[in-house]
Structures are given as structure tokens and as C-alpha cells.
Amino acid sequence: MSYGFCDRILKVDLTAGTLAVESPGEAFFRKYLGGSALALYYLLNEMPAGVDPLGPDNVLVLSVGVITGTPISGNSRVMANAKSPLTGAIGDAQAGGFWPAELKFAGFDAIVVKGKSPKPVYLWLHDGEAELRDATHLWGKDTGDTEDMLKKELDEPKLQVLQIGPGGENLVKYACIINGKNRANGRTGMGAVMGSKNLKAVAVRGTGKPEIADRTAFNAIVKEGVEWRKQDVGTQNMEKYGTGGVLGYQQQTGGLPTRNWSSGVFEEWDNITGETMADTILKEADTCYACIVRCKRVVEVTEGKWTVDPQYGGPEYETLSTMGSYCGVGDLVAVAKANELCNRYGLDTITTGATIAFAMDCFEHGLLTTEDTGGIELKFGNGDAVVRMTEMIARREGLGDLLAEGSDHAAEEIGKDAIKYSVCCKGSPFPAHMPQYKRSLGLIYAVNPYGADHQTSEHDHAYAPDASEEQHRRSSALGLISPRPADVLDTEKVRFAYYTQVLYHVLNSAGTCQFVFGGTWQLYGPNVLPRTVEAITGWHTSLWELMKVGERSLNLMRVFNAREGIAKNRDTLPAKVFVPLKGGPTDGVALSETEFENARALYYGKAGWDENGVPTRAKLAELDLEWAADLLGL
């Protein structure tokens, strides 16, 4: 194993049933780092344009980065990339847990999967060896049963399993990939891609820990994080309340999406906060491999209308919102049960909750009736309906079969102006951060290659005037600290959006968590990232060099989309963000179409793309990506 990488890419052809290992060399890993950038290299070189996302010619890449597997906080991340069945654009989803580090221990940097197996199979990777095994007996099992069965079958109690549940098997367009029973590559339907290939799971176990080039420098960085956490209230609160700890702030500022984005305030918000969870149903805080942040929730309910199984974790802020305030539901146990079902069946909680909220809006406006819902009163505030609909979507039963296609497609089928109730970009529903309030997110949601996503840039209101001296120091390399800007999508916010988007592409390529190496409130911040990469790999690197990797990742995604005919024509926002909100601090607030269009044009110029949002040959040449320019005939 080389410093930071194994130099082993497993290539799987499920149609032929063959496995091969490719070693692209050190220069390749320095250019792409791993993760999403590596994945896009393989997708563009091994998959033609225009393939069916659920057909055998789609290519799925599971990849980690040069930081993954080292004993530092935020290291254990896996990226999943393929053509998205939900959007038709590039698909991208990230997850933490212990599986990503274990893949590196098993001796692999990435898995490139193409074709379709004639029967269900799973991959078994262990200490440099790989084999395909029959998974017929696992098909139809939920994620908890599947993991338990594989641990017993392979006699490996420490086995790490990445898999799909019935949602992926049933080709729900936003099915996710689950590892550890509760860590999800959630967005853009990567679980459906696995299901379409009859690939049930990837089981990994290894003993080969990554070597570190400069152990003294690396240990000093680890110690720095431990010392900072002792004094940093933000990271301490992540362990106490998880990401749900921000729900109250969102409510107070008028940025909590409520009743399908009609309002930024929810009258029952206090029932579903991270603090309320900690006081009621929280069993313990969980973490990912070697991470001291411990942001993950584990909840348990043993009596009442619903029981909630702790092996499936607990709801994050996004789920508390999408299953809660989006749907007008203030019942924390109902939200936790819906979260359990999503992790059990393998569904993205954001898209599931948002799609149910869309259906509730249609029901409230008479576009759906109890005849369509099978008798369910699909009204805002009905927690029973949220739980039942989640099951129906996973099983494609009744109205769940239509909603399993996503809200944009469902709106087309429903007709009667239903599309105005679908809050999506490129077919991917909005996460629980409001661009009417966090202005730069309106731009990012639209231009992001894989649709609306809250973890593809920093949020503009993360940078407050009262940022500490230490926070200034940690983010000064990008020049991002400034007084809280006015609520207008101006040039400053365009610059902010672009630079932080590139930074997040670096993190998704290096294989690290935004909560650790992101902006001001995270454990380390971007200044520490080059030191970490250098200590691990031995490369004399800089933030400049790493940001260029991020630009490669972002531009390759735009190249992928351009080959599919996706550019400015789909860098758009849904109608609801231009409609004034009702109630609270953001009453009457809306985005302006003019400010959005002006910002989009500024962003294209900043990124070095043409007026249609397509990377120019000059930009791709700057990034040493002339081969990608050739794919577009530039």
C-alpha cells in the first residue's frame, strides 16, 4: 500500500461475471485524489452518453480518498456516482460510517461496476481478494437482516456491509445505499442503480491499515483537533444534539421549511428539535471510524403506537424537517419511525419526506383525493400518513408506486398544475435549507450538477460578524470571513458560493467530512487540509493544488451533464421559491427571478464556462482535462 492510497481499482463486469484490478499509479491519485473526481474519470471514459440509468450500460463507482482509513476525524467517507435515475444527470451521494475505512483496509480505493448480473449477487472483498457470490437468499431482505445474515455467513463479526434494501430492489428512483444499517449514500437514487444491476451488497473486511508518510506531523494534527474540541462549543453540541441542534435556529430566523415550503416557521417546531430528542428518545451518540465529533443519533422507542429500533440510528436535521415540518408533523416518534423505515428499506429520507409533502400539498389543493391515496387522509399534520406512505413508496404500493418516481414525474402524471407544488432542481427535491433566506443556496441548488443539495457548498449565513479569531484563522485561506451580507444574491455571494462549492468537491474527492474540514465552525477547517494530505501522502502540496482537484471534479460533472444535454436549460429553480413566504421573520420574503438569473450569469463567468453553463476548452485545458474537452468536441 502506497502512502494514502492502495493503487487498486476493482473493476466488476456483472454481465460477464468477471473481476479485474487496475493500478493507475501515483500521478493519477495526485491529480484526482479519489472520491468523486476519480469516479467521474471512470464514468466519462467507460460509459457512453445517453444510457438508460437503470440499464446495464450505466456505470456505478464506489470510491474513497487519500485521507480515508487514517485515524483522524472525518476520514471515513465513501462516494457513490452513476447516472441518476431520478434526474437523468450525474448522480452523487456521500456517506460516512466504518465501511469506507474498511474498504481501504481490504486493499481497494474504488469499485467500478458495470453490466447486470442474471441473478442477485454480492461482492466479498477481503485483504486484497475479491469474489462475487450468490445473493438470491438475501433478495427481499431489509438492511438489518441482510447485514446480520452476511456476518454469520462469512463468519466475520466485524464485517462492514454496504447494501440496498427493498427500495433499491424495487427501483424506487431515490433509493439509497446503506452501510452499517444507518449510514446512507442518500441522494440521486444510487440504490436504484445497484438494484437494477442485481447487486445486493458489498461486504468488506481487511487488516491492511494505510501507511502514513509523516507520522509525527499527522499525530500533531490529530492532537490539535482534540485540543480544539475541548473549547469549541459547536463540535461539543454536535455530540449532544446532532445536526438536529440547528432546527431551533432555523425556526428563529424563519428558515425552517414548513408545509411544503409555504412558510419558514412551524408552530410545533419545539417538539422535533435535537434538544427534545436528547431529552426523550435518544439512546446514545454514535460516530464514524476514528472521529471525535460523534454527531450521529441512535434513538429507541419501546412502547406506544410505534416502536423504533435503535439499530437503524436516528433522524438528522434534514429528516426532522422533511418528515416533520415539511409535512406539518410535530410528532417526534412518527418522524423517528419514518426515519427507521427509510434506513430499513433503503430510501433517501430527504426525497421521501419532500415527496410526501408534495403529495400532501396536492391533496390539500384537491389534486389528489382519498380515491388516489387508498383512503389515507394525506393532510399536513398527519404523522400516520407519513409513516404509511413511506412503507408504500418502498414497496411501490398504491399511490406509493407513483411517488416512487419522484415529485416532478408524479406532478406530470397528476397534471392540473401539480408541478407548482414540486420543489426540486433537476428533479431532486430541496433539502431543509431555504434559499429565500440563505440567498447563495438558491444559486447553488440550481447550478449544482446533481441538483439541490445542502452539502455542496457552505451556507452564506454560516459566516457571522461575531466569528471568533480562531474561526477567522481557520478559514482565512479562502478569504471567506466577512460581515453577514445583506439578503440579496449579489457578487459577493456568487464568489462565496463558487469557492465553497469547489472546496466541497475537494473534500468529496479526498474522502473527508465537511463537518471536519469545511468552513468556520468545523473541527479543522480548510487551512488544515493541505497539511493533512501532505502528512499522509508525503506530497508537498497546497490549498491551491487541492482546489484545482475540486475544480476538476466540478467541471467533469458539468461535462457529464453536457453530454446528456443538460446545462443552463436545467439550471433552474422551482416556482415556489419566487412566491412570498408566510409567517415569522421571513414573512413576504421570496427570491427574485432577475437576481437569480443575474447571479447565474456571474457564476458561469466565475467558473470559466460559456453562457450556456458548459466548461470551455480553455478551462478544461487549464485543469489538464483536454481529454474531457475532446468528449464534447470542443
Side-chain angles (χ1 to χ4, degrees):
M1 182 181 290
S2 302
Y3 295 129
F5 59 96
C6 306
D7 199 19
R8 303 182 82 241
I9 311 293
L10 179 65
K11 304 185 78 172
V12 182
D13 186 331
L14 291 172
T15 301
T18 59
L19 305 173
V21 174
E22 181 172 292
S23 298
E26 183 175 12
F28 176 86
F29 282 94
R30 185 155 189 175
K31 183 174 179 178
Y32 298 105
L33 291 181
S36 296
L38 175 152
L40 266 293
Y41 173 86
Y42 281 98
L43 291 180
L44 285 167
N45 280 286
E46 304 213 359
M47 180 172 64
V51 304
D52 179 353
L54 296 177
D57 292 331
N58 197 3
V59 175
L60 172 69
V61 181
L62 303 169
S63 54
V64 297
V66 294
I67 292 179
T68 310
T70 60
I72 190 170
S73 292
N75 79 86
S76 190
R77 303 288 290 176
V78 58
M79 314 304 150
N81 295 92
K83 186 176 181 180
S84 168
L86 181 66
T87 70
I90 182 63
D92 183 283
Q94 313 99 35
F98 289 78
W99 189 94
E102 198 72 29
L103 179 68
K104 192 75 90 55
F105 302 161
F108 298 93
D109 301 291
I111 305 168
V112 180
V113 184
K114 65 179 181 180
K116 177 179 180 178
S117 173
K119 64 179 182 180
V121 293
Y122 72 91
L123 270 169
W124 167 219
L125 311 183
H126 48 100
D127 284 327
E129 301 296 322
E131 56 184 298
L132 281 168
R133 292 194 172 191
D134 180 59
T136 304
H137 60 303
L138 302 173
W139 205 254
K141 302 295 185 183
D142 65 29
T143 57
D145 287 345
T146 298
E147 181 168 319
D148 292 345
M149 291 171 69
L150 282 174
K151 285 181 177 180
K152 183 176 181 181
E153 180 176 319
L154 297 172
D155 193 24
E156 287 283 357
K158 294 184 179 180
L159 187 75
Q160 293 298 318
V161 179
L162 178 145
Q163 59 167 308
I164 58 170
E169 296 171 6
N170 293 331
L171 306 184
V172 175
K173 294 292 180 62
Y174 42 92
C176 67
I177 301 171
I178 295 284
N179 80 82
K181 304 181 184 178
N182 54 46
R183 304 302 205 280
N185 294 90
R187 309 307 309 276
T188 67
M190 297 297 94
V193 176
M194 274 186 70
S196 73
K197 296 181 175 300
N198 278 333
L199 179 60
K200 176 64 174 177
V202 182
V204 296
R205 183 77 180 102
T207 57
K209 300 295 176 71
E211 296 183 29
I212 294 172
D214 188 339
R215 176 64 71 169
T216 300
F218 180 83
N219 288 344
I221 296 169
V222 172
K223 183 178 179 181
E224 181 181 325
V226 172
E227 293 303 313
W228 171 242
R229 187 185 179 281
K230 291 177 182 178
Q231 57 181 301
D232 182 55
V233 175
T235 51
Q236 292 170 11
N237 282 343
M238 286 290 277
E239 180 171 355
K240 291 180 183 177
Y241 308 122
T243 56
V246 307
L247 192 145
Y249 172 80
Q250 302 284 64
Q251 166 73 15
Q252 291 159 19
T253 54
L256 181 63
T258 299
R259 285 181 287 277
N260 196 35
W261 292 78
S262 296
S263 176
V265 291
F266 179 41
E267 59 275 10
E268 297 183 63
W269 66 275
D270 198 35
N271 295 336
I272 57 172
T273 64
E275 291 85 346
T276 300
M277 192 191 313
D279 290 339
T280 55
I281 64 174
L282 183 68
K283 183 178 182 181
E284 61 183 336
D286 196 6
T287 191
C288 301
Y289 173 77
C291 188
I292 63 174
V293 176
R294 299 189 65 83
C295 67
K296 306 302 292 184
R297 305 294 86 188
V298 178
V299 302
E300 183 175 30
V301 179
T302 58
E303 57 185 18
K305 183 186 297 184
W306 298 292
T307 59
V308 181
D309 191 335
Q311 70 177 320
Y312 297 105
E316 303 282 352
Y317 163 71
E318 301 298 326
T319 312
L320 293 168
S321 301
T322 55
M323 299 292 191
S325 61
Y326 277 38
C327 297
V329 172
D331 183 340
L332 179 60
V333 176
V335 173
K337 184 62 179 180
N339 177 80
E340 179 207 295
L341 293 174
C342 283
N343 288 343
R344 183 188 290 272
Y345 295 137
L347 298 178
D348 174 33
T349 62
I350 295 176
T351 310
T352 302
T355 304
I356 294 171
F358 153 79
M360 286 179 162
D361 219 351
C362 290
F363 189 90
E364 296 271 357
H365 286 89
L367 305 186
L368 291 173
T369 68
T370 52
E371 187 175 332
D372 302 304
T373 66
I376 297 172
E377 289 288 327
L378 201 56
K379 293 181 177 180
F380 289 123
N382 188 344
D384 290 334
V386 171
V387 172
R388 180 69 185 116
M389 263 303 154
T390 301
E391 292 183 300
M392 290 173 66
I393 289 168
R395 296 170 179 165
R396 282 188 172 270
E397 295 176 351
L399 182 63
D401 187 41
L402 176 61
L403 298 185
E405 297 293 304
S407 57
D408 270 6
H409 179 80
E412 292 177 7
E413 291 295 314
I414 295 167
K416 297 174 283 189
D417 292 327
I419 192 64
K420 69 182 182 181
Y421 304 118
S422 181
V423 187
C424 298
C425 285
K426 298 181 178 70
S428 185
F430 278 20
H433 300 270
M434 304 190 75
Q436 299 95 320
Y437 168 64
K438 297 178 178 180
R439 228 58 172 184
S440 72
L441 286 182
L443 172 63
I444 286 296
Y445 286 176
V447 301
N448 188 45
Y450 44 95
D453 192 284
H454 63 296
Q455 289 190 299
T456 190
S457 73
E458 283 289 336
H459 301 187
D460 46 4
H461 281 268
Y463 294 90
D466 58 352
S468 70
E469 182 178 346
E470 175 64 15
Q471 288 172 324
H472 276 268
R473 184 185 70 78
R474 285 166 180 265
S475 286
S476 61
L478 292 181
L480 295 178
I481 290 290
S482 63
R484 187 187 299 276
D487 286 327
V488 61
L489 192 49
D490 57 11
T491 302
E492 179 182 350
K493 285 199 174 182
V494 172
R495 179 177 67 88
F496 170 89
Y498 178 72
Y499 282 143
T500 61
Q501 185 181 31
V502 170
L503 172 64
Y504 274 47
H505 275 269
V506 178
L507 303 182
N508 289 344
S509 297
T512 188
C513 181
Q514 297 97 329
F515 287 0
V516 175
F517 288 99
T520 58
W521 59 270
Q522 288 89 341
L523 186 66
Y524 287 118
N527 278 333
V528 183
L529 185 62
R531 290 169 46 205
T532 305
V533 172
E534 186 166 322
I536 292 169
T537 64
W539 302 332
H540 296 297
T541 191
S542 64
L543 189 56
W544 170 270
E545 180 182 8
L546 298 182
M547 290 288 280
K548 287 300 171 185
V549 176
E551 284 194 283
R552 287 189 191 104
S553 174
L554 176 59
N555 278 268
L556 289 176
M557 287 188 179
R558 294 294 296 201
V559 169
F560 183 100
N561 282 1
R563 290 203 311 170
E564 303 296 328
I566 297 169
K568 180 181 178 180
N569 60 322
R570 294 192 57 194
D571 287 351
T572 58
L573 289 171
K576 273 224 173 186
V577 300
F578 303 116
V579 177
L581 296 168
K582 297 178 181 179
T586 48
D587 184 57
V589 172
L591 271 176
S592 153
E593 292 192 51
T594 299
E595 71 172 312
F596 164 66
E597 290 171 0
N598 289 340
R600 183 177 59 188
L602 281 170
Y603 173 94
Y604 287 168
K606 179 69 180 173
W609 303 341
D610 66 19
E611 66 279 2
N612 199 35
V614 177
T616 62
R617 185 172 188 90
K619 183 63 182 181
L620 294 172
E622 175 201 330
L623 299 172
D624 192 20
L625 297 175
E626 288 93 341
W627 62 266
D630 292 340
L631 291 176
L632 294 181
L634 298 175

